[in-house]
Amino acid sequence: MRIGLYPGTFDPLTLGHLDIIRRACSLVDRLVIGIAINRDKGPMFTLEERVATVERECAAISRDTATEIVAHPFENLLIHCAEEVQASVIVRGLRAVSDFEYEYQMVGMNRAMNDDIETVFLMADAHYQAIASRLVKEIARLGGDVAGFVPPKVAGELVERLRAQKFAAARV
Ligand code: ADP
């Protein structure tokens, strides 16, 4: 049984993430989506919301690919999380060259801690390669249409969250 761990913040889950998840499913029997709590980044969506979104949006992929997909919140070191869920591979998505330097260092450090766990890099379909959660939030904040970047329900949730934030700000 091959287990993979795909870690990230998923704030919010994008079509880029989902494309990587679908591709990763062809490599493993169980894919654990490690959802970083990431308090420092001040996520827009709570951990519970991000877990629920991953579970909801991955159900069809799990069915189509006959791969078990599990959402797993984590706050500890990535390599410890991988050991905990018994993953033999860590899956990361690679976008531009800018991702490379950080990922290169991460692999080096993780290998020093556990050389038995491989890191595998996947590239999303060309349509989705430029998508980044940070930019999706920025576009939504400025009133742009994010329908091409996130699943329809996530687009609705983004609009709702921003509306609630504006309302709260107007009251203070
Ligand atoms: P992190 O906080 O680790 O950057 P993200 O949720 O932004 O978390 O991303 C999780 C993983 O998904 C990372 O490996 C990132 O490179 C990858 N990823 C995000 N968006 C894309 C995309 N559009 N194409 C390919 N990989 C992506």
Side-chain angles (χ1 to χ4, degrees), residues 27-164:
L27 304 176
V28 297
D29 305 297
R30 176 192 294 161
L31 184 66
V32 179
I33 316 283
I35 306 182
I37 294 177
N38 242 336
R39 290 182 229 280
D40 296 349
K41 274 197 179 175
M44 177 180 271
F45 293 98
T46 66
L47 178 66
E48 291 72 22
E49 288 168 333
R50 286 178 282 140
V51 167
T53 301
V54 165
E55 284 175 348
R56 182 187 71 217
E57 301 294 340
C58 289
I61 300 178
S62 173
R63 245 190 342 264
D64 292 353
T65 62
T67 307
E68 190 187 348
I69 301 181
V70 186
H72 178 86
F74 77 103
E75 197 166 25
N76 52 347
L77 211 52
L78 174 60
I79 202 76
H80 291 162
C81 174
E83 288 164 357
E84 201 177 289
V85 302
Q86 298 181 328
S88 54
V89 286
I90 293 172
V91 175
R92 295 287 287 170
L94 257 197
R95 284 165 293 190
V97 188
S98 53
D99 278 342
F100 181 77
E101 203 166 336
Y102 174 73
E103 298 293 343
Y104 174 82
Q105 282 189 312
M106 280 255 289
V107 172
M109 304 288 276
N110 284 336
R111 270 206 184 141
M113 290 182 276
N114 185 334
D115 199 22
D116 295 329
I117 299 177
E118 288 300 339
T119 303
V120 171
F121 292 100
L122 298 177
M123 286 176 79
D125 182 270
H127 283 101
Y128 304 128
Q129 272 178 27
I131 302 174
S133 298
R134 185 177 56 81
L135 295 175
V136 167
K137 284 183 280 191
E138 196 65 32
I139 291 167
R141 234 177 239 126
L142 297 172
D145 182 9
V146 294
F149 310 131
V150 293
K153 280 208 169 123
V154 173
E157 285 159 1
L158 263 171
V159 170
E160 259 315 298
R161 182 54 42 95
L162 289 165
R163 191 178 294 148

